[in-house]
Amino acid sequence: MLIAQLSDTHILAESSDRPEAGSRAEDLRRCVADIMRLDPQPDIVIHTGDTVQTGAPEDYAHLEKLVAPIRAKLYATPGNRDHRDKFAATFQRGNEPFMHHAFEDLPFRLIALDSIEPPQNKGAFCADRLRWLDETLSAAPERPTLLFMHHPPFDMEPDYLRGYLNPLDRDALANVVLKHDQVRHLFCGHCHWISRNEWAGTAVTTTTSVARDVRKGVDESRYGETPIYQLHQVAVDGTVTTETRTAA
Ligand SMILES: [Fe+2]
């Protein structure tokens, strides 16, 4: 199985006169075009949040236009820039009031987790969300499971510290994930840089923003003007091998 991961596209309305509006649309357009050229094609595409910049319907309308060429199923989880209801209209509804969703139509289980707490930028994972995740994982202990969410649930030096409103949320989430051996990987966005970590007995990767004007920690002498996304090869046992792709 092949998963392409987009993140932090921060798309603005097509009519926006903000200077970054055009470059962000172009960055996403180039990543989508690169995905379309992949052979083999990815089985699914995931988006790890901050799909748009302001949460306005016009942002989502522009986003929908830009991702329309993607043939694979596109699954997403919201970021702090997203608006839950408008996000749900573009992607999929969640287990309300959150946007959690378990996708069951794949050889492995894929679970989107909602870590947003509007209007805050920081993440949250309250008792209701923990309960949903624990129950959902308990329902299929034999199936290799991949999680994706916006906010990485741990600190990363030097720039991503205290990313949750209540740091205890992260410990509680780690304790739930630790209980369930079938969790093989967690994909995150939000921090706008690329990393691989071990957390709660599972591998975690973060990716940078597709939007080049807000990405961090990327060797610009290497990547220059090219937007970046990630491609994940998932083995039968759920182990993930990640390739960072530059969109030509
Ligand atoms: Fe972002």
Side-chain angles (χ1 to χ4, degrees):
M1 284 287 295
L2 202 54
I3 302 176
Q5 180 187 4
L6 300 167
S7 199
D8 297 270
T9 43
H10 291 267
I11 293 299
L12 286 145
E14 204 166 4
S15 59
S16 171
D17 53 10
R18 286 174 58 167
E20 63 273 35
S23 67
R24 290 179 184 179
E26 186 57 21
D27 292 339
L28 178 53
R29 198 176 288 118
R30 288 170 70 184
C31 288
V32 169
D34 198 74
I35 289 171
M36 301 304 294
R37 285 193 293 271
L38 291 172
D39 183 15
Q41 280 282 287
D43 297 283
I44 56 168
V45 178
I46 61 171
H47 195 307
T48 37
D50 281 359
T51 65
V52 300
Q53 178 67 21
T54 75
E58 295 79 11
D59 290 4
Y60 285 99
H62 194 195
L63 174 72
E64 286 177 16
K65 211 165 154 179
L66 291 163
V67 300
I70 295 175
R71 286 195 297 267
K73 284 185 181 168
L74 173 59
Y75 299 138
T77 194
N80 46 285
R81 294 281 178 180
D82 285 293
H83 182 286
R84 277 202 184 100
D85 289 343
K86 298 182 181 75
F87 170 92
T90 295
F91 295 104
Q92 75 283 324
R93 298 214 72 81
N95 284 72
E96 297 204 7
F98 304 108
M99 289 291 126
H100 300 330
H101 197 100
F103 301 97
E104 308 284 8
D105 55 343
L106 301 164
F108 48 82
R109 261 183 132 198
L110 178 69
I111 299 179
L113 297 176
D114 177 345
S115 61
I116 66 173
E117 191 75 5
Q120 308 288 336
N121 288 335
K122 292 189 175 189
F125 217 88
C126 57
D128 286 346
R129 300 184 225 206
L130 289 167
R131 193 176 314 110
W132 183 90
L133 178 60
D134 197 20
E135 287 172 6
T136 301
L137 290 172
S138 296
E142 308 298 330
R143 293 194 67 198
T145 300
L146 310 176
L147 309 176
F148 68 114
M149 67 194 293
H150 187 61
H151 297 83
F154 45 80
D155 286 342
M156 281 183 282
E157 299 283 353
D159 290 332
Y160 181 69
L161 304 171
R162 299 184 64 89
Y164 278 60
L165 291 165
N166 181 354
L168 295 178
D169 285 8
R170 308 181 308 179
D171 300 339
L173 177 57
N175 287 335
V176 169
V177 171
L178 268 171
K179 276 172 59 185
H180 299 279
D181 290 343
Q182 78 269 31
V183 178
R184 300 289 196 270
H185 202 95
L186 168 64
F187 304 104
C188 294
H190 185 59
C191 59
H192 294 196
W193 79 75
I194 297 164
S195 72
R196 185 180 176 91
N197 295 280
E198 293 293 323
W199 165 83
T202 192
V204 186
T205 48
T206 66
T207 188
T208 190
S209 54
V210 166
R212 284 178 300 119
D213 65 296
V214 285
R215 71 186 178 191
K216 298 182 213 165
V218 169
D219 180 356
E220 296 295 345
S221 66
R222 178 174 171 194
Y223 291 109
E225 298 294 303
T226 47
I228 291 170
Y229 68 99
Q230 287 193 326
L231 206 53
H232 306 285
Q233 183 79 53
V234 187
V236 177
D237 67 354
T239 307
V240 173
T241 308
T242 298
E243 175 194 351
T244 296
R245 291 276 309 179
T246 52

